[in-house]
C-alpha cells in the first residue's frame, strides 16, 4: 500500500474561488494515480505551501488575490524547479499563454475543458511533456509577442484605477515626465487614443 502511495502524483491546487477549488480537488481525487495534497486560495501563499507539501504538479489560476498565477509561476519555478506548473484559467488569452510559458509553465488549459483532460495533462507534464490548449496555441502564434515593455505594463496597471501621472510617479518612484512617456508609448503600441483604452486592449490580449 505504501509503495502505491509513493507512485501517486502529488498535486497542489491554487484557485481563489472556493467552490471551484473544492470541485477540482474532489474530481481529481477520484483519479487513482493523483493525490491532491494542498489547496490554496491566495497567490502569495503558494510558494510557502509548495515548500511544505512538495507537490509534483501545481495547478495555478491566473486571477488570484495578492499575486497572480503568472507571477507565482515564475516564483515557483525558482523555488522548486522540480514542480511542474499547469496554468488553468477562464481567460484564454494569447498574451497569457506566452507569459505563462516564459514563466516556466508546462501546461496551459482553459477551465471549460473536461476534468479528464486536466488529469491527462497532469500525467503528461509529470512525464516531461508540454500541454497547451491547441486553439489557444494557434491564436498565440497569430497574435505575436507582447509589444509592451515591463515598465509600460507597470504604468498601465498603476493607471487602471484612475490614478494621475503624478500619483503613478509616486507609486512607481518615477518622474512625472517618465510616466507620461510610458503612457504615451503604451497608447501608441496599442493603437488607442487614451490610457483607459490602452489598458482595455492590453488586458484583452493578456499583456497585463
Amino acid at each position: 500500500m505504501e509503495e502505491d502511495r509513493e507512485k501517486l502524483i502529488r498535486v497542489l491546487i491554487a484557485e481563489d474561488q472556493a467552490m471551484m477549488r473544492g470541485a477540482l480537488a474532489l474530481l481529481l481525487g477520484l483519479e487513482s494515480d493523483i493525490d491532491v495534497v494542498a489547496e490554496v486560495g491566495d497567490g502569495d501563499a503558494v510558494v510557502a505551501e509548495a515548500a511544505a507539501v512538495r507537490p509534483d504538479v501545481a495547478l495555478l489560476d491566473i486571477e488570484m488575490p495578492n499575486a497572480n498565477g503568472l507571477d507565482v509561476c515564475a516564483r515557483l519555478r525558482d523555488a522548486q524547479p522540480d514542480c511542474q506548473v499547469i496554468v488553468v484559467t477562464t481567460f484564454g488569452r494569447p498574451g497569457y499563454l506566452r507569459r505563462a510559458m516564459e514563466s516556466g509553465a508546462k501546461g496551459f488549459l482553459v477551465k471549460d475543458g473536461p476534468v479528464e483532460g486536466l488529469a491527462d495533462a497532469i500525467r503528461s507534464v509529470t512525464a516531461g511533456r508540454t500541454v497547451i490548449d491547441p486553439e489557444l496555441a494557434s491564436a498565440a502564434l497569430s497574435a505575436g509577442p507582447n509589444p509592451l515593455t515591463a515598465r509600460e505594463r507597470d504604468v498601465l496597471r498603476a493607471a487602471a484605477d484612475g490614478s494621475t501621472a503624478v500619483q503613478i510617479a509616486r507609486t512607481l518612484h518615477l518622474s512625472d515626465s517618465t510616466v507620461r512617456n510610458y503612457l504615451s508609448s503604451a497608447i501608441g503600441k496599442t493603437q488607442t487614443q487614451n490610457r483607459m483604452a490602452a489598458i482595455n486592449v492590453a488586458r484583452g490580449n493578456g499583456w497585463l
Side-chain angles (χ1 to χ4, degrees):
M1 180 66 70
E2 187 64 30
E3 183 179 349
D4 290 341
R5 287 192 61 80
E6 290 178 359
K7 295 178 182 177
L8 295 178
I9 302 170
R10 297 168 59 80
V11 175
L12 177 150
I13 299 174
E15 159 68 54
D16 67 323
Q17 296 182 14
M19 185 176 294
M20 174 66 74
R21 188 169 67 245
L24 282 175
L26 179 63
L27 291 171
L28 289 175
L30 297 175
E31 301 291 325
S32 61
D33 57 343
I34 293 175
D35 183 18
V36 177
V37 295
E39 300 174 43
V40 181
D42 185 305
D44 272 349
V46 173
V47 173
E49 187 66 20
V53 301
R54 310 295 294 183
D56 301 304
V57 177
L59 304 180
L60 303 182
D61 185 24
I62 290 180
E63 300 294 333
M64 291 188 290
N66 296 317
N68 69 58
L70 300 175
D71 293 336
V72 171
C73 181
R75 296 177 195 171
L76 197 54
R77 175 197 59 196
D78 294 339
Q80 293 201 50
D82 291 337
C83 177
Q84 308 304 318
V85 173
I86 300 176
V87 173
V88 185
T89 180
T90 303
F91 306 102
R93 297 168 181 166
Y96 281 167
L97 171 58
R98 283 184 174 273
R99 288 168 60 194
M101 295 299 106
E102 290 168 359
S103 297
K106 294 299 182 183
F108 193 102
L109 301 172
V110 291
K111 289 181 180 177
D112 59 1
V115 72
E116 293 83 3
L118 179 57
D120 286 342
I122 290 170
R123 298 180 185 105
S124 292
V125 299
T126 303
R129 295 187 290 273
T130 298
V131 181
I132 300 173
D133 180 275
E135 292 184 8
L136 190 56
S138 177
L141 289 173
S142 300
N146 185 346
L148 302 174
T149 66
R151 265 312 192 186
E152 288 165 354
R153 295 197 297 271
D154 289 342
V155 169
L156 283 182
R157 290 191 192 99
D161 63 358
S163 294
T164 65
V166 173
Q167 292 169 326
I168 296 169
R170 290 198 193 110
T171 300
L172 299 179
H173 306 291
L174 300 170
S175 69
D176 300 357
S177 60
T178 298
V179 167
R180 292 189 178 92
N181 287 339
Y182 281 135
L183 286 172
S184 177
S185 178
I187 290 168
K189 288 179 178 179
T190 55
Q191 300 181 12
T192 53
Q193 300 299 315
N194 56 64
R195 67 177 70 178
M196 293 312 298
I199 290 166
N200 289 336
V201 168
R203 282 178 170 168
N205 283 283
W207 296 337
L208 291 184

